[in-house]
Amino acid sequence: MMKVINTALNIYKNKRILITGHTGFKGSWLALWLYELGAEVLGYSLEPPTNPNLFSTIKLDKKIHHVIGDIRDEEKLTKIFQDFKPEIVFHMAAQPLVRLSYKEPKLTYETNIMGTVNVYEAIKKTDSVKVVITITSDKCYENKEWIYGYRENDPMGGYDPYSSSKGCVELITSAYRNSYFNNSGVAIASVRAGNVIGGGDWAEDRLIPDCIRSLSKNEIILIRNPEAIRPWQHVLEPLSGYLWLGVLMLKDKNKFNSGWNFGPNDSDIITVEEMVKLSIKYWGSGEYKIDSSIHPHEAKLLKLDTSKAFMKLKWKPVYDIYTAIEKTINWYKAYYNNEKDMLSYTVNQINEYIESAKRKKLLWSEG
């Protein structure tokens, strides 16, 4: 096991941690980071959603307890919780795609809403749990496409089935916190991040994976909504926030029980077209053209206000947008150049991120 360098996050060493959705792109990065911190990790999830995928590429099933299961299966989920007895839960499992939610609204609502209810019911029946962090989305807010970033106390909403399901998850989390968890000593928070990028994502209808599929085959990239603006950030940015939040919640079970935004600085929020141009630049070649056909509605502008995380958690982004894209494209270049040890490459990217955080003297990166 390649250990990540010492940080304040080493409090996770020997902790029993359950992650739902560990076979997904973001879940695999989180599971690997926690494993490298010395945690005993159990992942509960469906099979990896794409082929290729990060989970299989780095052979994560050899590092953690790997359970294939559906969060809609309450009985199996509850048994896993009671048998493993986790101290900390990261609930990430979801149907995560806006465009798929238009095609499969029932699946989206059953997974994201009732799946979350099943997770919370399992936690109610598992005395070992101390901290719960539920990952939702920046799309949980009622998006008025204004130029201001959304704050944690802005109204929940959602134009499409996916976005509205995430708004519902926020309301469910608040209800369970108030009705059950505050009285049982379980600390629970929800976390909202923007569009994450990073190596190992091959999901359909996501910008960087779409770019990589085209670039790796020397095909022209087709882009929708070139002027759309998103809060792009490297996947390690929100994950560092989730992990640091978990540390603080372990220390104080009442102070941090709320919703939290984790996003980039305003100066690093760019358009879809700018993102594609930078991807081509760091790849070293490529072309793109605008897809002018009719597509389902997607937001044109979405920003998060992260001042709460900065003021109360002392968390802030480490990478600017250029570094985030360069690290992402370099990961894919290593993969397609048949780098033999993508596990080491991925761990090295975590260590590079921590070293950058140390130079900025961020609290969570202190040894």
Side-chain angles (χ1 to χ4, degrees):
M1 179 169 68
M2 291 182 58
K3 285 289 186 182
V4 299
I5 55 182
N6 286 336
T7 72
L9 304 184
N10 280 65
I11 196 173
Y12 287 105
K13 186 175 182 179
N14 298 323
K15 294 287 192 301
R16 297 171 71 85
I17 299 174
L18 191 151
I19 303 173
T20 69
H22 70 291
T23 60
F25 158 63
K26 205 171 173 183
S28 293
W29 275 97
L30 178 62
L32 175 61
W33 197 342
L34 283 165
Y35 169 78
E36 292 294 326
L37 289 169
E40 183 177 359
V41 180
L42 183 145
Y44 181 94
S45 182
L46 298 176
E47 294 283 358
T50 62
N51 186 24
N53 60 82
L54 179 60
F55 180 83
S56 301
T57 296
I58 61 176
K59 299 179 174 60
L60 200 51
D61 60 323
K62 307 298 184 185
K63 309 295 182 185
I64 66 173
H65 303 286
H66 170 51
V67 179
I68 295 298
D70 194 322
I71 57 171
R72 294 175 296 174
D73 185 343
E74 183 182 4
E75 183 177 350
K76 180 175 182 178
L77 180 68
T78 300
K79 187 175 189 307
I80 292 296
F81 266 83
Q82 293 180 331
D83 288 348
F84 183 62
K85 297 179 174 58
E87 297 173 69
I88 303 164
V89 176
F90 290 93
H91 172 38
M92 307 186 81
Q95 190 300 91
L97 300 174
V98 171
R99 287 168 66 86
L100 180 59
S101 78
Y102 282 107
K103 300 175 185 176
E104 298 282 357
K106 187 170 183 287
L107 169 67
T108 301
Y109 286 123
E110 287 178 345
T111 303
N112 296 355
I113 296 176
M114 289 311 301
T116 297
V117 170
N118 290 341
V119 169
Y120 291 166
E121 286 295 312
I123 291 168
K124 283 170 57 182
K125 299 171 185 175
T126 308
D127 293 339
S128 60
V129 177
K130 299 175 182 176
V131 168
V132 182
I133 296 178
T134 293
I135 289 77
T136 64
S137 169
D138 59 343
K139 296 176 180 65
C140 67
Y141 293 106
E142 181 183 343
N143 188 6
K144 299 176 181 178
E145 303 204 17
W146 53 30
I147 61 173
Y148 311 105
Y150 291 97
R151 295 181 177 180
E152 287 84 349
N153 58 357
D154 280 326
M156 298 294 105
Y159 180 99
D160 54 84
Y162 168 76
S163 301
S164 63
S165 75
K166 288 300 187 178
C168 289
V169 169
E170 290 286 352
L171 297 176
I172 290 165
T173 301
S174 178
Y176 268 80
R177 179 191 298 118
N178 294 331
S179 301
Y180 306 107
F181 295 136
N182 282 346
N183 298 326
S184 67
V186 176
I188 179 169
S190 60
V191 291
R192 307 147 189 177
N195 291 46
V196 295
I197 62 174
D201 187 6
W202 280 278
E204 294 292 330
D205 297 321
R206 279 192 184 145
L207 183 60
I208 292 297
D210 286 348
C211 288
I212 293 299
R213 275 186 284 271
S214 297
L215 291 170
S216 64
K217 300 174 183 176
N218 294 316
E219 296 176 351
I220 294 175
I221 302 168
L222 292 178
I223 61 172
R224 311 179 304 271
N225 304 317
E227 299 304 316
I229 295 173
R230 297 286 186 274
W232 315 98
Q233 59 189 324
H234 193 275
V235 62
L236 295 176
E237 302 281 23
L239 295 186
S240 70
Y242 307 166
L243 290 170
W244 180 231
L245 176 62
V247 169
L248 297 176
M249 292 170 70
L250 280 170
K251 295 179 178 179
D252 189 324
K253 294 188 179 303
N254 300 310
K255 188 175 180 180
F256 304 99
N257 294 349
S258 59
W260 300 88
N261 289 340
F262 295 97
N265 296 316
D266 280 356
S267 59
D268 293 318
I269 297 174
I270 63 175
T271 67
V272 166
E273 188 168 15
E274 289 172 310
M275 178 66 93
V276 172
K277 288 179 178 178
L278 287 170
S279 298
I280 291 172
K281 173 186 174 182
Y282 289 116
W283 185 267
S285 63
E287 299 179 65
Y288 74 92
K289 67 178 183 180
I290 309 301
D291 181 356
S292 58
S293 57
I294 298 174
H295 299 283
H297 173 273
E298 293 185 66
K300 301 291 185 184
L301 175 62
L302 184 57
K303 292 169 58 179
L304 292 177
D305 184 320
T306 60
S307 56
K308 179 183 174 185
F310 175 71
M311 295 298 294
K312 296 189 175 183
L313 306 181
K314 306 304 179 186
W315 176 92
K316 63 180 179 180
V318 174
Y319 288 158
D320 61 26
I321 188 62
Y322 305 102
T323 306
I325 298 174
E326 183 177 18
K327 295 288 186 184
T328 298
I329 298 302
N330 285 347
W331 191 100
Y332 286 109
K333 287 170 72 174
Y335 175 85
Y336 284 104
N337 287 334
N338 296 313
E339 171 77 35
K340 291 183 179 179
D341 190 355
M342 288 307 297
L343 171 62
S344 294
Y345 192 94
T346 306
V347 173
N348 284 339
Q349 285 209 331
I350 295 174
N351 280 325
E352 289 168 357
Y353 177 78
I354 294 170
E355 288 285 10
S356 295
K358 282 181 174 290
R359 287 194 293 272
K360 293 189 174 184
K361 298 182 178 179
L362 301 186
L363 286 176
W364 66 262
S365 67
E366 295 179 354

